C-alpha cells in the first residue's frame, strides 16, 4: 500500500529502521551499534554504500553517526561535559579521515533562523565557538602554545530574510576565505518524539535539499562547495502530519488486515497540519543548553586541550 | 463510548461545539453569533448559565466572547488596528457592566513565562501597556486632559521559577494596591490547529485551575480575588495528544461502526505525546505581533481616545 | 569649596574613601580589610555605626561588605566558581546573624528592568535560582535529603511599566507569603570606572531611595518590610556627570590652588550629561555571566551542598 | 597646542564644525544647510572635495548628508513615518545618481554585533527589510505589480565571533551574488551627547577603517568592493575619553590663557576611560525603535509605493 501521508525524518537511523525487514537491513546499508552503558548512550553508525540504497533511504551515500543520549536535554553540567567529549570524539573521527586537523583550516556554519526557537540551534552554536583565523592571520602560529587549526564561523541567515540561498551565501564566503573543510550545524526534524533533544547525527554528507527545520532548497555538500562537508544535526521538532499519520496507522494495523486510503474526513486533518510541528514547552531552554554542548564539543575537537 | 484520550481545550466555543447534538446546544447554554464580513470575522457569545452546564462544559458559569479573526496572525498594520478596535469594544462591553471605566482602578496581569515562546503572550502584552496609577498617585486627575482610570500592571512569573503560586503572587499585590477590577491575559490551548492565533476569547470568569499553556494550579477569579476578573486569552498551541486522538477517531468513525478502545500499540503513541504540543514555525514572530495588538486594545479600551 | 557637581555612588566603600582625611576614617565608621592574594581579591567591611556618620556617608547605618575582584567580568568558568563560593560565604555570614538558615524562609527579589541591559542584573539572577517553597509546601521536608530553607523569588518590574512602586509590589507579596528574610539584588552606579563589574557589595541595610541604576523612590528595608533585608549589588554603570566632574577637578587641582565654581561653558556640558552613563561595550555579555555567578552563590549559600 | 586626548567622531558634520574657523569652512569643503521647521529638523550636506580636505577631516572624499531630528528617539509612530519618508528621499537622491533604482540589484549589509545593544543597529535593520531577490530569481518581474529592484541583505557578524574580517565576508557574498550597489548600515560614535539618536548620516563613501561602534579594521567602499557603497549611520554612543576631554578643555579655556598638557593625575583618568562609552539608559528601547524607522525608509526608497 502506498503511504497515506508523507513521512518526514532527517535522521538516517530512523530511515534505516523504517526500511528494515525481518531479513535485516537493506542491501547497500551497513549498521554498527555500540552501547555505552555508563552514559545510557548508544552510538550507531549507518553506512549508505550504494546509490540504490541512497535512493531508498532518501539520504545521500555516506556515513551517518547517531549518538542517542536520553539525558541530552537534562540540565546537568557534569553530564554535558561527558556528552561534549563523546561528540568531540565522533567529530574528530570523521574529520581526521583527511589527515591531522591541526594543519587544516575549518569553517563552521550555523544554519537556521535565530528568531525561530526550533530553528535556532545553528546560530546559537556559533555564539560560543572559539575562532582562531583572525589571530593566526595577524600573529601566525606563535600566537598559540600548540598547533591549532584556522577556525572561522558564519551565520548565513535564512533566504526569507536575505533574499539569498543559504548555499550561495556560504559558497561566496568559502570562495573568498578558502577553508579546507566545512562543518554545518542544523536543527532537524525527527519521526518520533522520543528523538527530540536526545539524538545527535554527525555525517560526512553535508546538507541535502529539503532537510533541516528550515527546509533548505539547495545542497551544501562536497559537490556544491568543492571541499568536504561534515553535518551535525539535532532533532528539535517532529512534523505534525508524520506523527498523526504514524499513530493512525498503528491503530489501524492492529485492527484491520487491509487498511485502505484515508477517507476525506481524515485528509482534512492532514491539510490542517501542514507546516505544523510537535515539540515540548521546554524547547527554548533546551536549545540554549544543547547549543552550548555542541559548541564545547567543536572547541574541544578542534583545539584539543588548549582551551 | 468513553473517550480514548483526554480532550484539552481552553476555548468555551470548542467545548460547546463538541457537546452540540442534532437538537442544538446543551440546556443551560445559549450561543449568539454575529458575522462581520468586512473583516472576515465572527463574534460568538457563549453564556454558560447553570452549574450543570458548567460541569458538562468543564468551564465556570459566565460569559465567553470569542472573536474568530483568520487574519489575526498576518503582518498587516492597518488590519491590526481594526482588530484592536474590535477587541477594545468587547473588553469595554464586559467591563462596563459594573459602571463607567474611567472611575475605576484596574490591574492587568500578564500570566505565563516570558522565556517560553508559546507561553509568553501575557508578559509581552504587559510590555506595551500605558499605565497611569503612579502618575495619578503623584499628580492627581489633573495630570490627564480627560478622565482616565488608574491602570497598573504586573507579570507574576511562573511557580517553577518563583516558588509562589501565581494566584498567591497576584492576591498579595491586589491586597496591597486595591484595584477594583483585574484583567488577566494568558496563552491558551485549543483543540484544532485552525484556532491557532486566529481566535481571541474574552470572559468574565477569570482563570480556572488547569487552564492556559502554563497550566495554573489555582484559580484567579472573583471568588479567590474578591473583585471581578476578566480573562483575555489566545490559543498558541494545540495539545499533541488531542490532535492525534481527534485524527485517529475521525478515521475510525468513517471506517467502523463500533470502534473499541485504543490497543496497546496506539496507547504507546499517546504516552510519548504527553507534554508535547503542536504549533507553527512562525510562533515567535506571531506572539510578538499579537501581543502588541492586545496591548493596543487594552490601551484604547481603558484610555479612550487620549493616547 | 562646595562641589561643582553632584557625586553619585551606591558603594559605601567609595563614599568612605572620599570622606577619608589624613587622620583616617570618619568617626562612627570602622573599616576592616582582608586580602586574598590567590584570587587577587580584597574584602572590605565598612561598618556605619552612628546616625551622624550615616548622614555624612549618605548611606544608612549597617554593615557593607565589599568584594573587589578584578577578574569578575572575565569569562573563566573555574574562577567564577571560586568567586561564587567566596560570595556565598559573605552572604551566609550576614544571614546567620539571625540563626541557622535552614529553618528560615527566604524571598529573593530581582530589582531592575530586564529590558535595559545595565539594569537587568536583578531579573537575570532570578532566572537561575533554585526555588524550593512550592515543593516544601506540597511534599514537606521529606522532599529533600537534608534541611533546606523555603526559598522563593520574584521580579517586581519597574514602576514606569507597572504603575506600582517596587516597594509596594514587594510588600504585597511579603504580606501574603510571609518570608523571614528578604534578599534584594540590584545593579549599582559606581564613581570610578575601575569598579565596573569588579566589585560586589553585600549589606544588611536593604535598598534606599535613589539607589540602583533604576533609582528606586521608596525604601526596601527592615523598617518598610518588617523583616531583615540583605542587599547584593554590583556596579554596572558610572554616572557620566560624576566621571567628567572628577576628571575636571583632578586637572584643576593639579594646576590651581583655588579653583572656583564651573563657568557657564562647563555647566552646559554637565546639563547634557544628565541621565547619561558610562559603561563598556561588553556590558551585555558581562551581565549574562555575572548574574549566573550571583545565582550560584545564592544557591550555594542557601542550599548548602545539596545542589 | 596639540590635543591632550584623541577626539573621536564618525560624523562628518562634527568633524567639519571642529575645523571651522572664523573665516568659515576649510578649503575643499562645502556645506549646505536646509531647515525643515515643521519637523524641527535640519538637513546638512557636507561635500569633501579634495584629498587635502579629506586628510584634515579624517574622512574620505564624498558627500555626507546629515539629518538632525531631535525627535528621532521619541516613541511617536506618526512622527517616525515622517522621518522615514524624509530619510527615504535622501537615500533615493544618492542612489539615483547612478540611474533608476528599479533596474538595479542592491544588497543591504547590517554591520555590528546583535548581542551588543549599542552595536546592534545594523543587524536589527536587516530584520525588517522586504527582500525581493529570491522571488525575482524564481518568478521574474511578473511577481510584482510594478518594477522592483532585486533586494538582498546580509548580517556578516563581527570578526571576534567569525574569525573573518567583515569586509572579507561581504566581498565573498558580493562576488557570488553580484549586486550593483551596496548599502551598509552601522552604529556610529559621536562627539557630543546631543547627537545621540538624533542624527542620521547618509554618505556615498562607504565605511572606513576605525569607524563605527565596532571599529572596523578594513574598508567597505567602492575601491574594495568594486561597486558603489552607500553608508547609513546613527550615533548610539559617545566615546567617554572624548567627552571628558572636551569638558576639561572647556573649563580650562575659560580659566587660563595657555593650558598646558594634562598632568599625570589627569592622564590616569583617560587611561581608565579606554573602551568606555557614554550612552543613555533608554538605549535598548531606542535601538529597537530607530532600527524599524531605518528599515521602513529603505523599504520605501527601494520599493516605492508598492509595499
Amino acid at each position: 500500500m502506498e503511504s497515506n501521508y508523507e513521512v518526514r525524518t532527517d535522521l538516517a537511523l530512523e530511515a534505516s529502521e523504517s526500511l528494515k525487514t525481518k531479513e535485516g537491513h537493506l542491501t547497500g546499508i551497513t549498521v554498527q551499534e555500540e552501547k555505552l552503558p555508563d552514559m545510557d548512550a548508544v552510538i550507531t553508525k549507518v553506512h549508505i554504500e550504494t546509490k540504490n540504497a541512497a535512493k531508498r533511504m532518501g539520504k545521500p551515500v555516506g556515513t551517518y553517526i547517531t549518538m542517542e543520549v536520553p539525558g541530552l536535554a537534562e540540565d546537568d553540567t557534569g553530564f554535558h561535559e561527558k556528552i561534549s567529549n563523546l561528540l568531540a570524539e565522533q567529530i574528530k573521527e570523521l574529520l581526521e579521515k583527511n589527515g591531522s586537523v591541526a594543519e587544516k583550516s575549518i569553517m563552521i556554519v550555523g544554519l537556521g533562523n535565530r528568531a525561530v526557537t526550533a530553528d535556532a540551534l545553528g546560530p546559537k552554536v556559533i555564539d560560543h565557538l572559539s575562532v582562531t583565523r583572525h589571530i593566526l592571520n595577524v600573529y601566525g602560529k606563535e600566537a598559540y602554545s600548540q598547533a591549532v587549526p584556522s577556525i572561522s564561523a558564519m551565520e548565513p541567515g535564512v533566504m526569507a530574510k536575505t533574499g539569498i540561498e543559504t548555499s550561495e551565501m556560504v559558497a561566496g564566503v568559502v570562495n573568498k576565505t578558502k577553508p579546507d573543510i566545512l562543518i554545518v550545524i542544523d536543527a532537524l526534524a525527527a519521526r518520533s518524539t522520543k528523538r527530540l533533544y536526545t539524538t545527535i547525527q554527525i555525517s560526512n554528507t553535508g546538507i541535502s535539499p529539503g532537510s533541516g527545520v528550515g527546509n533548505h532548497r539547495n545542497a551544501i555538500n562536497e559537490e556544491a562547495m568543492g571541499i568536504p562537508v561534515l553535518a551535525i544535526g539535532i532533532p528539535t521538532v517532529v512534523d505534525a502530519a508524520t506523527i498523526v499519520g504514524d499513530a493512525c496507522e498503528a491503530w489501524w494495523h492492529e485492527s484491520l488486515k487491509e487498511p485502505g486510503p484515508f477517507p476525506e474526513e481524515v485528509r482534512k486533518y492532514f491539510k490542517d497540519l501542514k507546516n505544523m510541528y510537535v515539540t515540548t514547552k521546554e524547547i527554548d531552554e533546551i536549545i540554549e543548553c544543547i547549543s552550548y554542548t555542541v559548541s564545547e564539543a567543536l572547541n574541544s575537537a578542534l583545539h584539543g586541550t588548549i582551551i
Side-chain angles (χ1 to χ4, degrees), chain A residues 71-85:
Chain A
L72 181 56
E74 304 298 321
D75 185 10
D76 173 342
T77 311
F79 190 61
H80 273 269
E81 264 176 49
K82 280 191 194 175
I83 303 171
S84 185
N85 290 336

Side-chain angles (χ1 to χ4, degrees), chain A residues 87-218:
Chain A
L87 175 55
E89 281 171 34
Q90 314 307 316
I91 295 171
K92 260 190 191 159
E93 189 183 315
L94 281 185
L95 274 180
E96 290 182 347
K97 290 197 172 170
N98 310 304
S100 162
V101 165
E103 285 155 33
K104 296 280 168 33
S105 69
I106 296 162
M107 186 161 92
I108 300 163
V109 181
L111 299 176
N113 186 346
R114 181 182 289 277
V116 172
T117 309
D119 198 24
L121 179 75
K124 281 181 178 291
V125 166
I126 299 303
D127 287 346
H128 302 294
L129 289 176
S130 295
V131 293
T132 62
R133 182 178 175 274
H134 57 312
I135 294 170
L136 290 169
N137 278 2
V138 173
Y139 300 103
K141 291 188 177 181
E142 287 66 35
Y144 294 96
S145 56
Q146 63 180 83
V148 159
S150 165
I151 306 172
S152 58
M154 77 177 288
E155 178 188 339
V158 291
M159 192 174 64
K161 288 204 161 181
T162 63
I164 300 172
E165 290 273 3
T166 308
S167 55
E168 282 184 283
M169 191 80 91
V170 175
V173 180
V174 164
N175 291 347
K176 182 78 187 174
T177 64
K178 310 273 182 230
D180 300 315
I181 299 175
L182 268 191
I183 301 178
V184 294
I185 320 291
D186 202 8
L188 304 180
R191 181 166 188 171
S192 157
T193 56
K194 282 179 296 186
R195 299 276 184 224
L196 289 180
Y197 334 121
T198 61
T199 302
I200 306 175
Q201 176 173 282
I202 313 114
S203 78
N204 61 5
T205 60
I207 295 285
S208 311
S211 68
V213 171
N215 269 325
H216 315 291
R217 282 172 22 118
N218 287 0

